[in-house]
Amino acid sequence: MAEATKQMQVSDEVAIQITGMNKWYGQFHVLRDINMTVNRGERIVICGPSGSGKSTLIRCINRLEEHQSGHIVVDGTELTNDLKNIDKVRSEVGMVFQHFNLFPHLTILENCTLAPIWVRKTPKREAEEIAMHFLHKVKIPEQAHKYPGQLSGGQQQRVAIARSLCMKPRIMLFDEPTSALDPEMIKEVLDTMIALAEEGMTMLCVTHEMGFAQAVANRVVFMDQGQIVEQNAPKEFFSNPQSDRTKLFLSQILGH
Amino acid sequence: MPDTAFVRSEMLPQQAPPITERGAVKWLRENLFSSPFNTVLTLIGLAVVFFLAQAALPWLMNSVWNATSLKECREIVWASAGPEATGACWALIRERWHQFLFGFYPADLYWRPVLALGLLLISLAPVLYYGLRKASVTLVGTVAALTLIALAMLDHDPTHLVIFALGLGGLTATAWVAPKRLLVLTVIYPLLGFWLLWGGSVWAPVGVAIGFALLVAVYLATKSYLGVVVATGAGFVVAAIWWLAVQTSVTTGLEAAMPLGMQAITSDQFGGFLLAFVIGVTAIGASLPIGILLALGRQSDMLLIKTLCVGFIEFVRGVPLITVLFTATLLLGYFLPPQTNFDVVLRVIILVTFFSAAYLAEVIRGGLAALPKGQYEAADALGLDYWQAQRLIVMPQALKVSIPGIVSTFIGLFKDTTLVAFVGLMDPLKGVTTIVRADTAWKGIYWEPYIFVGAIFFAVCFGMSRYSMYLEQKLKTDHR
C-alpha cells in the first residue's frame, strides 16, 4: 500500500485555509489558535488523545460547530454566520460520522439520493443512477433496497461514505469512521477509504488507525489540549517524533 | 470392535406430540391454568363473566324494537317475559336515530351530511393508505357503495341518484386508475365539506379558496429572493388582506351577478354526531400541523418564537377546556359589537383545535427528543436547509415515534367534543339525549340512548386506535 502513496498527486491549490481559529465551549477553550492549510488532493490524518479537540476541529470545517474567532475558508468560501455560505460549503464537503448517522426511515438508495434530489435538484432517475454508481464503488449495490437497520456496522459505514460521495464533494471529512466497528469490519471501511484516497480526494480523517495513516496520509497532525502539537509526513512522524507529548502518545498507541 | 458401538441404519419418523403439548389442551394449560394462582384468577374471571351475562342477557334478549313509548315497551316485555321482567327498549333509537345523528338538521337535506361524510372518507383514503392502491381502492369503493345506499334511502329521485352514482363511481375509478389524482379532492375537501354542510352561496368557499391561492402564489413568487420564512409571512399577509377586506365585496358582487348556491343551514340546527364529527374532524385535521409548528417553535433558537410557543402551550394546558369554551361563547358575545356574527360552531372548532394542538406539541416534542443528535448533524452535513431537514428527516421519524401519543390525543379530542353541551350546543351525549329523554313518551329511559351513543363513540375511537397500530407496523423500518 505504501506504493500507492507516491502516485497520489497534491496540487498547489488551497482547499481549506484555517487561520488563528479559536473555539470555546462556555468557559472551556477547546481549540486554541489553530493554523492549518490543506491543499487540494491532500490526505491528512488527525490524531491525538481523546478530548484533544480533533473532532471539534473537523466539525468546524463544515460548521457543525461554530468558531468564535479566526477564519476558516473552505474552497474560497469563508464560514461566517451567513447561511448561504454555510449551505454552499456543506454541499461541497462530505462528512462521515463515527456512528454512521444513516436515516433509518429511508432505504439505502433513498439515503443516497435524498441530498442530490433536494439540495442539488438532480432529477430522481439521475440521482438513482449516481447512487447506484457509488454503491457499486463501496461494493454493496445489492443492499440498495434494504433499510440501514438490516445492515452490519461496516456496511452501514460504507453506505454513509457512498451517501456523502453522491453529493460529489470536493473534500471529505471523516470523524473516527472506524471507532464504532468490530475489528473484522474495520478493514472493509478502510479499504473503501484507501480507494477514495487513490482517486485524489481531499481527505481529513480523525482516526486512531495508524496503519491507515502510514499507508495513505501525506501529513499527520497531532493534537493535544486543543492545539496542534506537531505535524509531519507520516514517515518522519512515526519514526522521529519531535515533541515529548507525541512520543508519549505514540508509545502508548503503538506499544501493544 | 466393542459391543457397545452403534450405528443407526434408519431414521426415526416424527411422532405426534403428547396431548398436553398440542391444540386446545396446551393452550388451556399455558394460558389459563399454568399455576394455582392463575387457575384461581381464571375461575374468578369466569364467575364475573357469568354474573354479568346473567344480569344483562335477559335484558338484551327481551329487547323491544317497535313501540311508541317507554310504557308500551314495558307492556310488551311484561306480556312476553312475565311481570317484573326487564327488557331493553331500542324502539327509542328506532324513532329518534335521526336526532342522534343530525340534531335538528332539516330532514329533506340529510343527503348533504351523508354525502359530506362519504366524501370525507374518500378524500382521506389516499392519505390513510398512501402508496397502497389496493387498500385505497377498497376503502373508496366500500364508502362509495355505502354512501350511495344511504343516499338512495334518503332521496328517491332517480335523476339525483344517477348523478350521485356517476360521481361516486368516478371517484372509485380515479382511485383505481390514478390514485394521486384523488389528492385533488383531499385538497378541496375542507371547503367542499363545509359548503355541503352549511350551504349558502357557492362564492363564499370560492372566496376562501382564492385567499389560499393568493397565499401560495405570493409564496412562490417571492420565495427565491425573500427566503422561505419571509415569503410565507408575505403570503399570509396578502391572504389575510384578501379575506378580511376584499373577499366580502367580491363574493357579494359575484353572488349578485351569478347567484349559485344551496339552502343555508344555521349552526344551531347542527347537532348529534354531525356536530361531533364536524368539530372533531376539523380540529384533528387542523391541530396536527399547528402542533408540529408549536413543537418546532418550542425548540427554536429564536427567543421570541420560543417564548410565544411555550407561553401558548403552557397557558392552554393549564386552563380547562370548558372555561375557554364559556369564554368564547358567552364573554366574547358580551364584548364583541352586537352585529359581529362569528359563528358559534366555528369558535368552538378554533378553540378545540388550539387545545389539542398544545397537547400534540408536547407529544411531538417527546418524539423530537427521541431523535439522536446525529440525525440533525447528518442532515446539516449533507446541506439540507432547516425546513428540508425537518420535513424529510426529523418529522418522519419524530411523528412515527409519537403515533401512539398523537392518536391518544385525537381520541381524547373526539370524545371531548361532547363538552360543547356546556355552551348550549347539541352534542350527542348530553344535548340530544336530554332532549329525547324530556319527551313524555320516553321519560325514564336511561340505558339505551347512552349505550347507543357510547357504542358509536367506541366504534370510531377503536377504529382510530386500530389504524394507528396498522400505521406503526407499516412504518416500522428500524428492524431492532
Side-chain angles (χ1 to χ4, degrees):
Chain A
M1 282 194 296
E3 302 304 313
T5 319
K6 289 170 197 151
Q7 297 159 12
M8 292 183 252
Q9 296 295 313
V10 177
S11 87
D12 296 335
E13 195 186 335
V14 174
I16 303 169
Q17 175 88 51
I18 302 175
T19 38
M21 191 259 276
N22 284 282
K23 174 169 177 60
W24 287 264
Y25 281 133
Q27 292 292 314
F28 181 54
H29 198 172
V30 260
L31 291 178
R32 308 178 192 182
D33 191 33
I34 304 288
N35 289 288
M36 192 169 160
T37 306
V38 182
N39 284 348
R40 189 160 303 294
E42 258 198 300
R43 298 155 311 275
I44 294 178
V45 163
I46 303 170
C47 60
S50 61
S52 59
K54 51 197 190 312
S55 284
T56 312
L57 171 61
I58 69 164
R59 287 159 61 87
C60 282
I61 293 173
N62 66 351
R63 196 73 169 186
L64 287 183
E65 304 282 355
E66 204 176 315
H67 60 279
Q68 277 86 35
S69 73
H71 302 277
I72 303 179
V73 180
V74 182
D75 237 354
T77 310
E78 168 150 21
L79 282 168
T80 56
N81 281 323
D82 188 341
L83 286 174
K84 280 212 172 97
N85 283 357
I86 295 174
D87 284 342
K88 187 164 170 242
V89 166
R90 281 174 177 170
S91 63
E92 299 298 335
V93 177
M95 182 151 194
V96 175
F97 299 87
Q98 181 178 2
H99 295 289
F100 331 136
N101 296 351
L102 294 177
F103 305 128
H105 62 300
L106 300 175
T107 63
I108 300 306
L109 188 63
E110 287 165 344
N111 264 281
C112 293
T113 56
L114 186 91
I117 290 175
W118 290 92
V119 180
R120 291 251 192 274
K121 313 289 177 205
T122 315
K124 192 172 175 228
R125 288 276 298 273
E126 201 182 312
E128 282 176 356
E129 277 167 25
I130 297 171
M132 287 314 293
H133 168 75
F134 285 110
L135 286 174
H136 269 286
K137 207 159 202 172
V138 300
K139 303 196 177 69
I140 31 177
E142 71 282 358
Q143 313 283 6
H145 295 286
K146 288 193 181 167
Y147 286 94
Q150 292 165 296
L151 269 55
S152 74
Q155 289 174 321
Q156 290 195 42
Q157 193 61 296
R158 284 186 281 151
V159 171
I161 293 173
R163 178 177 70 176
S164 290
L165 292 178
C166 284
M167 285 293 279
K168 306 262 175 76
R170 310 184 64 177
I171 300 164
M172 284 286 285
L173 308 175
F174 292 84
D175 188 1
E176 305 205 22
T178 55
S179 302
L181 296 176
D182 292 339
E184 285 177 51
M185 294 167 181
I186 291 177
K187 186 177 178 305
E188 63 186 56
V189 171
L190 288 182
D191 285 347
T192 310
M193 290 166 63
I194 290 168
L196 200 59
E198 282 166 359
E199 284 173 19
M201 175 68 78
T202 312
M203 292 165 72
L204 271 82
C205 185
V206 173
T207 186
H208 299 294
E209 296 296 329
M210 291 303 132
F212 174 77
Q214 279 167 329
V216 297
N218 42 16
R219 185 163 19 136
V220 179
V221 175
F222 176 71
M223 289 183 70
D224 187 33
Q225 294 178 23
Q227 310 161 58
I228 295 178
V229 175
E230 187 168 346
Q231 48 180 322
N232 212 336
K235 209 170 172 186
E236 286 73 44
F237 179 84
F238 289 109
S239 59
N240 186 20
Q242 300 297 311
S243 89
D244 294 341
R245 187 66 192 87
T246 316
K247 286 175 192 161
L248 180 67
F249 176 76
L250 285 177
S251 73
Q252 279 167 342
I253 203 165
L254 302 172
H256 54 87
Chain B
M1 214 181 198
D3 292 344
T4 51
F6 171 76
V7 175
R8 187 179 289 286
S9 57
E10 60 186 280
M11 291 297 159
L12 292 176
Q14 266 202 13
Q15 289 185 347
I19 184 84
T20 52
E21 276 304 309
R22 61 188 146 112
V25 177
K26 179 184 185 209
W27 188 86
L28 284 173
R29 271 174 62 103
E30 283 184 357
N31 292 292
L32 297 180
F33 303 104
S34 62
S35 67
F37 181 65
N38 197 352
T39 309
V40 171
L41 282 185
T42 302
L43 292 177
I44 292 175
L46 282 175
V48 169
V49 170
F50 173 76
F51 284 116
L52 281 179
Q54 198 191 30
L57 266 185
W59 185 75
L60 284 171
M61 301 291 277
N62 293 335
S63 290
V64 176
W65 288 92
N66 281 306
T68 52
S69 70
L70 185 60
K71 196 162 156 260
E72 198 185 331
C73 265
R74 287 193 177 138
E75 277 159 7
I76 294 171
V77 170
W78 288 337
S80 63
E84 301 307 309
T86 57
C89 188
W90 303 114
L92 166 84
I93 308 298
R94 188 189 167 95
E95 190 188 286
R96 297 297 189 92
W97 63 270
H98 51 88
Q99 259 180 340
F100 280 105
L101 296 191
F102 302 114
F104 289 118
Y105 208 87
D108 56 330
L109 297 179
Y110 283 166
W111 66 271
R112 275 159 53 174
V114 167
L115 188 62
L117 178 64
L119 289 180
L120 169 71
L121 294 171
I122 291 174
S123 69
L124 281 178
V127 181
L128 295 181
Y129 296 109
Y130 183 76
L132 298 172
R133 192 163 71 158
K134 218 171 185 180
S136 169
V137 170
T138 313
L139 178 62
V140 172
T142 315
V143 170
L146 289 174
T147 312
L148 199 59
I149 292 171
L151 289 171
M153 289 161 80
L154 291 167
D155 187 342
H156 303 289
D157 187 334
T159 39
H160 291 177
L161 281 180
V162 169
I163 296 171
F164 289 141
L166 285 176
L168 292 166
L171 288 174
T172 316
T174 313
W176 179 250
V177 181
K180 287 197 175 152
R181 289 280 167 78
L182 217 52
L183 285 167
V184 175
L185 179 69
T186 314
V187 171
I188 61 168
Y189 180 79
L191 293 170
L192 178 66
F194 272 89
W195 182 63
L196 267 177
L197 292 175
W198 268 273
S201 164
V202 76
W203 299 112
V206 169
V208 177
I210 291 174
F212 281 111
L214 281 174
L215 199 170
V216 175
V218 170
Y219 168 78
L220 289 178
T222 58
K223 180 177 73 162
S224 51
Y225 51 93
L226 283 184
V228 176
V229 178
V230 183
T232 315
F236 268 110
V237 169
V238 172
I241 292 171
W242 164 265
W243 283 324
L244 297 174
V246 189
Q247 188 195 340
T248 321
S249 46
V250 172
T251 49
T252 322
L254 279 169
E255 176 65 17
M258 201 200 313
L260 266 179
M262 299 191 291
Q263 183 183 336
I265 309 295
T266 53
S267 288
D268 53 6
Q269 290 170 288
F270 280 62
F273 279 101
L274 170 58
L275 186 65
F277 270 82
V278 168
I279 298 173
V281 171
T282 318
I284 284 174
S287 64
L288 187 60
I290 299 177
I292 290 173
L293 291 179
L294 282 172
L296 292 178
R298 192 169 188 161
Q299 295 214 320
S300 168
D301 298 332
M302 286 179 268
L303 187 66
L304 180 69
I305 290 180
K306 184 176 175 151
T307 314
L308 284 175
C309 289
V310 172
F312 179 86
I313 292 169
E314 296 304 334
F315 171 76
V316 167
R317 292 203 310 164
V319 179
L321 177 57
I322 296 177
T323 315
V324 186
L325 286 177
F326 267 127
T327 318
T329 50
L330 298 174
L331 294 185
L332 284 185
Y334 293 139
F335 292 137
L336 290 175
Q339 67 272 21
T340 322
N341 181 24
F342 197 40
D343 191 279
V344 62
V345 173
L346 192 61
R347 270 187 245 176
V348 167
I349 287 175
I350 291 172
L351 288 172
V352 175
T353 302
F354 283 162
F355 240 82
S356 77
Y359 282 92
L360 279 178
E362 289 298 282
V363 169
I364 294 166
R365 192 164 68 98
L368 290 171
L371 207 62
K373 197 164 160 250
Q375 293 288 307
Y376 294 92
E377 290 180 351
D380 283 345
L382 285 170
L384 296 173
D385 67 33
Y386 177 81
W387 292 107
Q388 286 172 338
Q390 294 300 333
R391 193 162 83 73
L392 300 167
I393 308 300
V394 177
M395 275 305 146
Q397 297 185 64
L399 291 180
K400 184 165 77 179
V401 178
S402 319
I403 287 174
I406 291 175
V407 174
S408 283
T409 311
F410 283 167
I411 288 176
L413 183 165
F414 184 58
K415 292 190 294 187
D416 280 353
T417 58
T418 53
L419 291 177
V420 300
F422 286 94
V423 291
L425 291 176
M426 238 190 320
D427 79 297
L429 192 67
K430 184 161 190 301
V432 175
T433 306
T434 309
I435 291 170
V436 169
R437 290 177 65 222
D439 187 333
T440 44
W442 301 107
K443 214 168 179 71
I445 201 160
Y446 192 78
W447 290 96
E448 292 84 347
Y450 290 119
I451 290 177
F452 176 68
V453 172
I456 295 183
F457 268 113
F458 176 80
V460 175
C461 296
F462 186 65
M464 282 197 251
S465 161
R466 297 304 297 192
Y467 177 75
S468 86
M469 286 167 76
Y470 154 82
L471 198 61
E472 277 180 67
Q473 201 59 42
K474 181 185 155 193
L475 297 178
K476 198 171 170 191
T477 57
D478 52 1
H479 305 280
R480 263 180 227 158

